[in-house]
Amino acid sequence: MIARGAQVVAGVDEVGRGAWAGPVLVAAAITDLSVPPAGLTDSKLLTARRREEVAAAVDPWVRAYAFGAAGPEEIDTLGMTAALRLAAERALTALPMRPDAIVLDGKHDFLGAPWAVRCVIKGDQSCISVAAASVLAKVHRDALMADIGVGYPAYGFDGNAGYPAPVHRAALAEHGPTPHHRMSWAYWDDLPAWRHLKRPRIEPVADGQLGFDLG
C-alpha cells in the first residue's frame, strides 16, 4: 500500500462484537514498519497475561494508536454493522494523523467510503499494525469490562468481558439485565422472566436501508 502511494497506513481491528454486554471497541494502530515486539500476533492466540505483556511493549513501539467504541444503546439502535462503523470512525478520527489507507481485519468492509480499505482475512496474523490493534483493543476492553464488573459482581465481567460464560448466563437468568446489556439480541428469547424487555432488532434489507424485526 505504501508502494502504491499511501503515506499513513492504519491497521484496524475490533473486539466485543459477540459479547452480550459492554461496548464493541475498535482500535486503530499506525506503525513505522520497524521490527515489532516479540510475540505480537492475533490477541486470541495469546493468554491474558501474555496479551498484557505484549500490549505493554506495543504501546511505546507503535507510531500512534487510538480507540473508538459504540455502546449497547448504540448497538441496539443502529445495528451491529453501523455500530462497528461508528466505533471505527471514532478510533480513526482520534489518531493524531489521518490515515490514507486502512488494513481491516476480516472479509467485510464495515467502514466504506471515504476510507480506502483493504480487508485481509486473519489480518491480525499477517499484518503487524492489525496485530497491534488486536492486542491493544482486547486488553483495553477487558480492563474496561473489569471496571464495569465492580458494580455488577454476579455477572463475572472481570473474567468473561461480557461474553456468554456460564456465570454470566446464570446471573442474567436470576437478576436480569444491567444497563450495559444489549437489549435487542436473541439471547433474551431464552430468558422467559426477562423476554418482555427485548427490543426490536434492526436488520439490513435489500435496498441497503434499515428495517426492524418486530418478532
Side-chain angles (χ1 to χ4, degrees):
M1 297 176 83
I2 290 174
R4 294 180 180 180
Q7 296 183 4
V8 179
V9 179
V12 172
D13 202 5
E14 58 80 19
V15 64
R17 187 195 306 234
W20 287 3
V24 62
L25 188 134
V26 172
I30 299 169
T31 75
D32 61 4
L33 303 184
S34 61
V35 177
L40 178 59
T41 186
D42 175 5
S43 65
K44 295 185 292 297
L45 301 179
L46 302 171
T47 65
R49 179 177 179 179
R50 185 60 179 142
R51 271 196 304 268
E52 292 182 0
E53 293 171 350
V54 172
V58 164
D59 189 326
W61 169 73
V62 293
R63 183 179 172 191
Y65 70 90
F67 301 113
E73 180 72 19
E74 292 173 317
I75 294 169
D76 288 333
T77 301
L78 301 173
M80 181 53 77
T81 298
L84 276 169
R85 183 182 304 116
L86 180 62
E89 288 176 343
R90 286 169 173 168
L92 290 165
T93 56
L95 289 167
M97 67 284 289
R98 181 181 174 88
D100 48 19
I102 293 164
V103 182
L104 182 61
D105 183 52
K107 63 180 180 180
H108 175 55
D109 178 9
F110 54 76
L111 261 173
W115 304 98
V117 177
R118 176 180 293 180
C119 293
V120 179
I121 296 174
K122 295 186 177 180
D124 45 15
Q125 297 180 37
S126 62
C127 175
I128 56 174
S129 60
V130 178
S134 171
V135 171
L136 291 168
K138 176 63 174 168
V139 170
H140 185 74
R141 188 180 182 278
D142 281 358
L144 175 65
M145 292 305 297
D147 286 344
I148 290 173
V150 172
Y152 306 94
Y155 296 81
F157 291 159
D158 58 335
N160 59 53
Y163 286 85
V167 65
H168 187 180
R169 291 172 181 266
L172 270 176
E174 182 175 356
H175 304 293
T178 73
H180 303 280
H181 278 91
R182 302 169 187 182
M183 299 304 299
S184 61
W185 285 40
Y187 64 82
W188 294 110
D189 295 335
D190 298 322
L191 296 167
W194 311 102
R195 189 181 299 154
H196 64 286
L197 298 176
K198 182 183 177 184
R199 290 183 53 177
R201 183 182 61 200
I202 295 177
E203 293 282 6
V205 293
D207 61 0
Q209 299 295 315
L210 292 177
F212 290 90
D213 173 13
L214 300 176

